[in-house]
Every structure is written in structure tokens, then in C-alpha cells.
């Protein structure tokens, strides 16, 4: 791995679509959800999963507007906090917003300063993983010695103050 202290060439990384092995399967990740909608040819009413690098980033205030209004970051029911904090390979839905806490297991400079991103599986809508399609659509490809493997998707839980329901 090449270690670089210069990040200016990565200054527009937030607008890029990255193809990489995620904690569950091969995925496209980006902070630009419009590019993900375009790649997947997906209806804009269907949201993407927002993946946070840590539980602390998930609960942190989001920008200067939330600090002024006195609101904190994302909230989850108190009785479900330990479940979310300790979960692995699990996506949660709270108040119709899907999120996941997943540490970046690839030791990459690109991921080091990214606190969150949108994530989706790397395939055409309704089709299996195709390396040619993904390489054509991605701006950056990050791959380690294990290559890109289509594995099972994350567990999907809808949680609230009272119960949790497994959807996938």
C-alpha cells in the first residue's frame, strides 16, 4: 500500500463513486446519492442505506445548523442502543431511515477521513454482480488480495421503542 500525506488530489472524493468490498458484499459507496441513483437506474423515492464509520459519528451533530438549533445527531430508542452499538453486518431502520455502523476494514487512505457514505450493492437493478458493469460505472475501484466477492447482504431490522422486526 502506498502511504500518502497529500490529500489534495482526493479533495473531490465526496463526489466520486467507489467500488469496493464492503463488510457484507461488493458495493458502490459515495456521498453523492444522485450519482448512485443514476448508476442503479433506481427510483428516487427509494432511499439508500447510510453507512457510518462509528456509533459516535452516527450520533454526532450533523453540521453547524444542528448545533444552532440545539438538536443532536441521529437518535435511536434508548432500549435499542446496545443492539445497534454491538451489531455486525446489520442494517437498521428507524423512522423510515436506513443506516448501518460499519468500520472500514480496508486500510485505505481514501476511507480514513470519510465519516459516512451512502451504500448500495454493486449490480444493475434486479441482476447479479457483473464486474464489467461495475468497473465501467465506478470512478474509483478499491480491491485487496481477496478480490471482489458477492456475499450475502446485511440483516435488516426495523426497530422502535417497543420492538424489533427482522425484514431480511
Amino acid at each position: 500500500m502506498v502511504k500518502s500525506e497529500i490529500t489534495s488530489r482526493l479533495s473531490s472524493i465526496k463526489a466520486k463513486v467507489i467500488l469496493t468490498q464492503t463488510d457484507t458484499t461488493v458495493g458502490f459507496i459515495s456521498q453523492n446519492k444522485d450519482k448512485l441513483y443514476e448508476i442503479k437506474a433506481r427510483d428516487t423515492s427509494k432511499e439508500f442505506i447510510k453507512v457510518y464509520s462509528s456509533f459516535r459519528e452516527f450520533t454526532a451533530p450533523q453540521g453547524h445548523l444542528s448545533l444552532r438549533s440545539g438538536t443532536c445527531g441521529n437518535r435511536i430508542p434508548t432500549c435499542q442502543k446496545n443492539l445497534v452499538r454491538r451489531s455486525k453486518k446489520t442494517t437498521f431502520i428507524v423512522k423510515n431511515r436506513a443506516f448501518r455502523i460499519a468500520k472500514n476494514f480496508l486500510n485505505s487512505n481514501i476511507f480514513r477521513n470519510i465519516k459516512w457514505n451512502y451504500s448500495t450493492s454493486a449490480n444493475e437493478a434486479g441482476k447479479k454482480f457483473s464486474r464489467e458493469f461495475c468497473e465501467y460505472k465506478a470512478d474509483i475501484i478499491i480491491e485487496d488480495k481477496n478480490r471482489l466477492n458477492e456475499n450475502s447482504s446485511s440483516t435488516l431490522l426495523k426497530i422502535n421503542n417497543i420492538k424489533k422486526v427482522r425484514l431480511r
Side-chain angles (χ1 to χ4, degrees):
M1 183 175 113
V2 176
K3 192 167 187 173
S4 173
E5 298 298 323
I6 301 171
T7 57
S8 62
R9 63 191 167 107
L10 301 174
S11 62
S12 63
I13 196 73
K14 293 179 180 182
K16 303 291 186 192
V17 174
I18 302 169
L19 172 67
T20 187
Q21 184 73 39
T22 64
D23 60 331
T24 53
T25 189
V26 182
F28 289 122
I29 63 171
S30 179
Q31 287 189 338
N32 184 344
K33 64 180 172 183
D34 295 329
K35 285 184 92 171
L36 291 176
Y37 279 122
E38 182 183 321
I39 288 171
K40 296 282 284 186
R42 187 173 179 169
D43 183 23
T44 56
S45 65
K46 189 173 179 184
E47 289 288 324
F48 290 108
I49 296 169
K50 200 167 184 180
V51 180
Y52 293 87
S53 60
S54 69
F55 187 76
R56 178 173 288 188
E57 291 301 327
F58 173 72
T59 57
Q62 307 295 321
H64 67 283
L65 294 175
S66 59
L67 290 175
R68 270 193 251 141
S69 63
T71 61
C72 61
N74 296 307
R75 298 189 55 135
I76 54 173
T78 304
C79 62
Q80 305 291 0
K81 282 185 181 178
N82 280 336
L83 173 69
V84 173
R85 192 178 286 122
R86 294 181 177 141
S87 68
K88 302 242 187 294
K89 299 182 181 182
T90 305
T91 300
F92 297 95
I93 299 174
V94 177
K95 296 183 179 179
N96 295 324
R97 292 178 56 212
F99 69 92
R100 189 165 78 226
I101 311 294
K103 294 188 176 172
N104 297 319
F105 61 94
L106 293 175
N107 190 15
S108 171
N109 280 346
I110 291 175
F111 293 129
R112 210 157 274 142
N113 295 323
I114 296 177
K115 307 296 184 200
W116 65 270
N117 55 58
Y118 294 106
S119 177
T120 184
S121 58
N123 57 13
E124 290 183 79
K127 296 184 180 178
K128 293 274 186 189
F129 171 70
S130 166
R131 188 172 182 96
E132 295 79 28
F133 168 78
C134 295
E135 287 179 353
Y136 178 72
K137 295 292 186 176
D139 296 319
I140 299 170
I141 300 169
I142 299 176
E143 188 173 5
D144 65 0
K145 65 180 180 177
N146 297 326
R147 316 251 323 140
L148 299 174
N149 299 314
E150 184 178 28
N151 300 324
S152 60
S153 57
S154 62
T155 302
L156 185 61
L157 294 176
K158 187 170 187 170
I159 59 175
N160 60 29
N161 282 328
I162 301 167
K163 61 183 177 178
K164 60 183 177 187
V165 177
R166 185 176 176 149
L167 302 176
R168 174 175 67 196

